[in-house]
């Protein structure tokens, strides 16, 4: 089957080469960072996590969203998803690999990564995050590959995969819950110290992941003979709609607690910093308002059945969901937690070009993995047409 | 191809052998007198400091910076000259920033802006230890919170967890920024987190922390907080003292006399 990834059209190859170039640039930039240390990033003593950990946080959500296909298909027998569960599983594989790469490039001492395994530390959430992420990666590789192989050979998939699939459902929830716990249990980081953090993470995951899948489905329909099916897309769109509503509602809840209680420590200062600026610092304000505006546009387009069912507006809505959730979770949440700092002062953060290129490089690696996996999956599906 | 495979197998064998005899080696090492605790080491259950700011202020105003300077020299703390990458073990913050929840708007301006000496609190329930994924940050039996610079992977989770801004990260190689090198104390590399160690290297040879020793005003008192007869406990008993952010439940071991 793997051979299928290596015979494609000219357009396919130029896409692959394009991603390889981006990944290469990212890698070269990483070598500079490796050599000179994290000083090449925009991070500081006060904002000690930035773009990299933000991407990890966001992409764990994208990975977890595979469950939104698997769960309805296996637990509620939603047949429409049968054709595309593999797309969800392979998306999860690519997203998790990106997550692990983002953790890696964020380390001050990457050569010591194995210390996390050599000295397992059950009291550290980061340890559990690594455990659940690698577990989920393996689950999705094994499940996706076995299912595809069965399809390729037109035989029924082996029974044990079913068991793995059932395991993968709570596991997907766990990866995002554990990632939320990275933040939610820290004293002194008031913006993160909220019990609905895990719920917020899951809601935004189930919005952004399926939104991306819808866009991917349209692309696949365009570049291949395989059609994911209108029904599947409609069902996904409904999921995106509900998840976006819940997600925005959850963000609203944070605002209520902070501003009605008027307790500055309960995240009020961070929210003011993010949406209005604090002590004359307002770098993130435009981005956070972009989040808000995009979320509203997405909601309008999604809730209205006419625009939800029209292809062009649905794609626009999904794009808006994806970008807005990325802004909120990949940027605002992580940085907002560090501002103001332990002394109630504002140190701002903006990523350096080098940091952005490394980030872009990892996204390119993820896109490359996704392209190969989808190429193989779709080739198999085309054979069966 | 063949030879490389054979080498690989050999390497694997060496590894397995190493792992098998490791416990024995550890056993020997433990009996090595060189690795025994220094007999002069001070014994305590929970070391802490009581800082009398009233004693400190007059000298501080007169320009005294003995505790900071000594600490910097003793521990090879680099001077990066860049706020964002600053390495800080002990420094001052205005009252209002060090104790954000223990101030009010009408507070006398001078108190609000008075400098307070801040450092790692060697918390009794340290969140930095709770989150560290490699146990590079750990609490000793005597309550001192330490970082193993050789194990730290530089994930900076501990910095997110510390509510006191007590930790610094070596974004770059610190060595070129050390003004006078103290050969008796190790330097750090880029990529690890560091902070005040309450001078374990001194405590373990029977000396009090350097900042305590050099303070001309005797403003900093060192002692075992679990020992009711210690000097620190006497101060806590007789004077009104406060801690930084006690509401967070980290139980800081540094107390302040305002
Ligand atoms: S002050 Fe910060 S670094 Fe020091 S022990 Fe407490 S939490 Fe850890
Ligand atoms: S930066 Fe080092 S000391 Fe801090 S949590 Fe990570 S491994 Fe532990």
């Amino acid at each position: 089957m793997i051979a299928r990834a290596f015979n494609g059209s000219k357009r396919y190859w130029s896409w692959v080469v394009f991603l390889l170039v981006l990944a290469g640039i990212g890698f070269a930039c990483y070598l500079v960072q490796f050599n000179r240390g994290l000083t090449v990033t925009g991070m500081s003593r006060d904002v000690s996590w930035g773009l990299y950990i933000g991407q990890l946080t966001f992409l764990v959500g994208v990975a977890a969203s595979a469950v939104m296909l698997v769960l309805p298909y296996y637990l509620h027998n939603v047949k429409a998803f049968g054709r595309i569960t593999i797309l969800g599983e392979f998306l999860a594989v690519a997203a998790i690999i990106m997550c692990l790469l983002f953790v890696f490039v964020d380390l001050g001492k990457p050569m010591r990564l194995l210390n996390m395994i050599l000295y397992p530390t059950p009291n550290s959430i980061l340890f559990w995050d690594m455990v659940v992420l690698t577990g989920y990666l393996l689950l999705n590789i094994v499940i996706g590959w076995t299912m595809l192989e069965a399809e390729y050979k037109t035989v029924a998939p082996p029974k044990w995969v079913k068991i793995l699939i059932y395991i993968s459902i709570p596991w997907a929830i766990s990866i995002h819950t554990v990632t939320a716990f990275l933040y939610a249990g820290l004293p002194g980081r008031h913006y993160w110290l909220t019990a609905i953090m895990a719920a917020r993470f899951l809601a935004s995951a189930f919005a952004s992941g399926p939104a991306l899948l819808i866009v991917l489905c349209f692309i696949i329909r365009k570049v291949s003979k395989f059609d994911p099916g209108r029904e599947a897309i409609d069902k996904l769109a409904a999921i995106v709609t509900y998840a976006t509503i819940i997600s925005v509602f959850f963000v609203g809840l944070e605002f209520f607690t902070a501003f009605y209680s008027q307790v500055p420590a309960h995240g009020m200062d961070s929210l003011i910093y993010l949406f209005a600026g604090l002590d004359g610092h307002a770098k993130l304000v435009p981005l956070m308002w972009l989040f808000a505006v995009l979320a509203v546009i997405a909601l309008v387009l999604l809730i209205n059945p006419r625009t939800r069912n029209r292809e062009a507006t649905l794609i626009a809505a999904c794009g808006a969901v994806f970008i807005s959730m990325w802004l909120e979770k990949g940027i605002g949440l992580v940085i907002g937690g560090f501002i103001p700092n332990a002394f109630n002062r504002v140190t701002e953060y903006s990523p350096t070009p080098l940091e952005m290129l490394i980030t872009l490089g990892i996204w390119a690696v993820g896109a490359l993995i996704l392209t190969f996996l989808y190429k193989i999956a779709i080739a198999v599906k085309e054979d069966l047409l | 191809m063949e030879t490389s495979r054979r080498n690989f197998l050999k390497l694997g064998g060496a590894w397995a052998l190493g792992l098998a005899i490791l416990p024995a080696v550890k056993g020997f090492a433990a009996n090595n007198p060189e690795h025994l605790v220094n007999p002069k080491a001070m014994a305590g259950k929970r070391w802490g400091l009581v800082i009398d700011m009233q004693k400190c202020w007059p000298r501080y105003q007169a320009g005294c910076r003995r505790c900071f300077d000594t600490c910097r020299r003793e521990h090879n703390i680099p001077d990066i000259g860049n706020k964002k990458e600053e390495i800080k073990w002990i420094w001052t913050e205005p009252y209002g920033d060090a104790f954000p929840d223990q101030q009010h708007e009408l507070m006398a301006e001078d108190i609000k802006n008075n400098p307070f000496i801040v450092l790692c609190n060697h918390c009794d329930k340290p969140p930095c230890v709770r989150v560290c994924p490699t146990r590079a940050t750990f609490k000793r039996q005597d309550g001192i919170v330490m970082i193993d610079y050789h194990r730290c992977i530089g994930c900076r989770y501990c910095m997110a967890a510390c509510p006191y801004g007590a930790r610094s990260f070596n974004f770059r190689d610190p060595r070129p920024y050390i003004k006078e090198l103290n050969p008796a104390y190790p330097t750090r590399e880029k990529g690890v987190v560091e902070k005040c160690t309450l001078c374990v290297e001194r405590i373990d040879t029977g000396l009090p922390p350097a900042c305590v020793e050099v303070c001309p005003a005797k403003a900093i008192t060192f002692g075992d907080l679990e020992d009711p007869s210690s000097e620190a406990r006497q101060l806590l008993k007789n004077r009104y003292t406060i801690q930084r952010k006690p509401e967070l439940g980290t139980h800081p071991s540094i107390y302040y006399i305002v």
Side-chain angles (χ1 to χ4, degrees), chain B residues 22-80:
Chain B
L22 189 67
V25 174
K26 275 190 178 161
F28 282 126
N31 283 331
N32 185 339
E34 257 181 25
H35 293 257
L36 288 180
V37 180
N38 185 322
K40 278 191 283 184
M42 286 200 245
K45 290 216 180 75
R46 182 181 164 203
W47 294 120
L49 303 178
V50 180
I51 304 179
D52 188 341
M53 288 312 298
Q54 284 177 358
K55 283 190 183 165
C56 163
W57 283 330
R59 304 259 185 171
Y60 188 84
Q61 248 140 27
C64 171
R65 300 287 184 274
R66 286 278 288 279
C67 54
F68 311 142
D69 294 342
T70 309
C71 179
R72 185 165 285 276
R73 245 179 292 119
E74 280 266 321
H75 301 116
N76 290 321
I77 300 171
D79 184 2
I80 306 280

Side-chain angles (χ1 to χ4, degrees), chain A residues 260-300:
Chain A
Y260 194 77
S261 72
Q262 290 285 313
V263 181
H266 275 287
M268 212 167 89
D269 289 342
S270 297
L271 284 171
I272 292 176
Y273 169 71
L274 289 175
F275 287 89
L278 192 66
D279 300 342
H281 300 280
K283 261 189 197 156
L284 286 186
V285 173
L287 289 183
M288 293 317 284
W289 280 101
L290 183 61
F291 147 71
V293 170
L294 285 175
V296 170
I297 293 177
L299 281 179
V300 171

Side-chain angles (χ1 to χ4, degrees), chain B residues 117-164:
Chain B
I117 293 175
V118 294
L119 66 161
C120 167
N121 286 288
H122 298 279
C123 307
D124 201 33
K125 294 215 161 71
C128 53
V129 172
R130 188 152 62 222
V131 303
C132 177
T134 62
R135 292 184 233 159
T137 289
F138 61 98
K139 195 175 109 182
R140 303 202 327 172
Q141 266 174 355
D142 57 6
I144 297 178
V145 175
M146 292 286 293
I147 307 172
D148 182 340
Y149 304 126
H150 297 281
R151 187 181 289 186
C152 172
I153 56 174
C155 64
R156 309 185 298 295
Y157 197 6
C158 52
M159 297 178 81
C162 171
Y164 303 99

Side-chain angles (χ1 to χ4, degrees), chain A residues 2 34 61 84 89 108 282 373 375:
Chain A
I2 294 180
F34 185 81
I84 57 167
E89 277 146 4
L373 289 176
K375 179 83 178 50

Side-chain angles (χ1 to χ4, degrees), chain A residues 54-68 88 91-92 95-96 99 133 136 172-173 175-177 179-180 200-213 322 325 329:
Chain A
Q55 304 311 294
L56 156 81
T57 310
F58 176 72
L59 287 166
V60 172
V62 173
S65 71
V67 79
M68 281 289 110
L91 177 60
I96 295 281
C99 288
L133 284 181
Y136 194 61
I173 309 284
I175 62 167
H176 222 25
T177 305
T179 308
R200 264 177 74 185
F201 271 50
L202 288 169
S204 68
F206 297 154
S208 54
L212 179 60
L213 267 175
F322 191 77
M325 295 297 145
K329 223 152 111 223

